[in-house]
Amino acid sequence: MSPNETTIATTGLLLIDLANFTNSCTESRLRTAKQLVSACRTTGFVYIVNHGVPKHELERAFAISSKFFALPLEEKMKAPHSPGWSVHRGYS
């Protein structure tokens, strides 16, 4: 594991620090990008820090998604779904 790559012990999720992506040389950015791709391909989830998204925006996004997932299935299924298996991204 590299210095900017850590695993969150309780979940096993890979922690990616984007400070190295935005404030570093090309080699460091490429290494961070490869770690992110690897984590998404192997685990499907990743915990990202130093991404620059303000805390209040994250809280707002989670509040909106919580409201959506609390809806009955019939309501959630009204969200547009593109046809075909390759574009399915859940309720998107």
Side-chain angles (χ1 to χ4, degrees), residues 3 5 14 39 43 57 69 83:
E5 183 180 334
L14 190 62
T43 308
E57 288 295 331
F69 285 104

Side-chain angles (χ1 to χ4, degrees), residues 19-86:
N20 292 323
F21 188 80
T22 57
N23 302 322
S24 299
C25 66
T26 301
E27 183 179 304
S28 181
R29 288 193 305 266
L30 182 58
R31 184 172 45 252
T32 302
K34 286 180 177 181
Q35 291 168 351
L36 179 59
V37 169
S38 175
C40 289
R41 286 184 174 165
T42 57
T43 308
F45 295 94
V46 64
Y47 190 92
I48 299 174
V49 295
N50 296 316
H51 43 68
V53 179
K55 184 177 179 178
H56 73 274
E57 288 295 331
L58 291 172
E59 290 170 349
R60 182 172 173 259
F62 278 108
I64 291 169
S65 66
S66 291
K67 284 183 182 180
F68 177 79
F69 285 104
L71 292 172
L73 179 61
E74 312 81 58
E75 290 298 311
K76 289 186 282 205
M77 292 306 292
K78 291 179 183 178
H81 291 83
S82 301
W85 64 269
S86 64

